[in-house]
Amino acid sequence: AEVEQIGRGQLPRPLPETGPRELVIFVRQFNRMAVQIQELLANRTTLLAGISHDLRTPISRMGLALEMLPSQADPELVGRLRQDLAEMERLIGQTLELARGLDNQETELLDIREPIDTLVSRYIQAGARLEWTPADSCMIRVVPLALQRVLTNLLDNAIKFTPRGGTITVAAEAAGDEVVFSVSDTGVGIAPEDLPRIFERFYRVDTTRSRALGGTGLGLSIVRHLVQAMGGEVYVESE
């Protein structure tokens, strides 16, 4: 019965870890497996919910607004906007594939400075105030699309909570066989009681500013899931 529950995506009650030593070891591993499967299913839900809510809805609104533009609108501009929307839809499709299982995604050995540099340049062109000084070569094996989503979510979060005139700093450095990159800001900060929970699904810091800015509370949860799926770690500090 417990195996059938797991097959339906339900978490059964832990089996009693009693009896002969061999049986105890087997039951303990089964209980651990059941918890891990449940966590994997919850993480998949987080990804799918974040993608559909945070991306598909505004893209649909933009597409509708684009079709309702007056006939005298610049056709070249309209064409570029349509291409941008089509590109976004393509990226969403790729991300959905990613959400169906990172284990099936191809990893690549790349210099992490390259995707960071590309993304930071786009944000600066859009008016964001970012500081980014590339360090020495930072080679690492990752899933490129997952890394791009991690970086985007971290930068979006930093920009959202940094007042006008503040500064966001992006850094990356090689540390032995690992690469460490960070996104820091001069924003409002996070209360100590909130720090342990900000990577939880749907958790939002309960402040007037965060409520006014909206959001689903999924961005950092998605970051944690993707980083861990690639064998990394993510953590936060706040002064």
Side-chain angles (χ1 to χ4, degrees):
E2 283 77 12
V3 175
E4 291 179 356
Q5 282 185 280
I6 293 176
R8 294 193 298 268
Q10 300 171 354
L11 181 63
R13 292 183 179 181
L15 296 175
E17 298 179 8
T18 58
R21 180 174 178 274
E22 291 81 5
L23 180 60
V24 170
I25 293 175
F26 174 80
V27 171
R28 185 175 299 154
Q29 291 176 340
F30 178 87
N31 289 336
R32 189 178 303 152
M33 178 196 68
V35 172
Q36 290 174 339
I37 290 175
Q38 188 68 17
E39 290 176 349
L40 287 171
L41 291 173
N43 286 333
R44 180 196 295 176
T45 300
T46 297
L47 283 168
L48 293 175
I51 293 165
S52 61
H53 186 278
D54 292 344
L55 296 177
R56 280 257 160 82
T57 300
I59 287 175
S60 297
R61 288 200 301 264
M62 287 187 287
L64 180 61
L66 188 62
E67 297 303 323
M68 297 177 65
L69 286 176
S71 57
Q72 62 268 29
D74 184 352
E76 183 177 349
L77 174 60
V78 172
R80 288 201 302 269
L81 291 174
R82 287 196 178 117
Q83 289 178 355
D84 288 341
L85 290 176
E87 175 68 9
M88 287 187 233
E89 287 286 353
R90 185 183 68 83
L91 290 174
I92 290 174
Q94 291 178 339
T95 308
L96 284 169
E97 289 297 322
L98 177 65
R100 295 189 183 105
L102 273 171
D103 291 340
N104 298 323
Q105 301 297 316
E106 292 292 332
T107 60
E108 295 182 18
L109 183 64
L110 54 80
D111 190 335
I112 196 177
R113 298 175 305 172
E114 296 176 6
I116 293 178
D117 188 62
T118 299
L119 199 58
V120 167
S121 297
R122 291 177 184 173
Y123 277 89
I124 291 176
Q125 290 174 1
R129 186 173 178 181
L130 301 180
E131 294 183 357
W132 159 239
T133 303
D136 295 331
S137 177
C138 297
M139 302 299 296
I140 190 171
R141 184 168 291 280
V142 294
V143 179
L145 185 59
L147 177 63
Q148 181 178 348
R149 185 156 179 79
V150 166
L151 292 170
T152 300
N153 282 8
L154 291 176
L155 286 172
D156 285 345
N157 190 74
I159 291 171
K160 180 185 294 185
F161 292 102
T162 301
R164 184 180 297 274
T167 302
I168 298 166
T169 303
V170 184
E173 62 178 346
D177 294 334
E178 299 179 341
V179 168
V180 178
F181 70 90
S182 63
V183 177
S184 56
D185 60 67
T186 56
V188 296
I190 304 171
E193 60 270 20
D194 290 315
L195 280 174
R197 302 193 60 191
I198 66 166
F199 291 109
E200 294 180 9
R201 293 182 299 277
F202 305 111
Y203 185 79
R204 292 189 295 174
V205 177
D206 187 19
T207 65
T208 301
R209 177 170 171 78
S210 63
R211 287 195 300 270
L213 290 172
T216 62
L218 287 169
L220 292 181
S221 179
I222 292 173
V223 166
R224 181 177 66 175
H225 170 59
L226 293 177
V227 169
Q228 290 179 343
M230 290 187 289
E233 297 180 7
V234 61
Y235 62 93
V236 60
E237 296 176 350
S238 182
E239 298 179 359

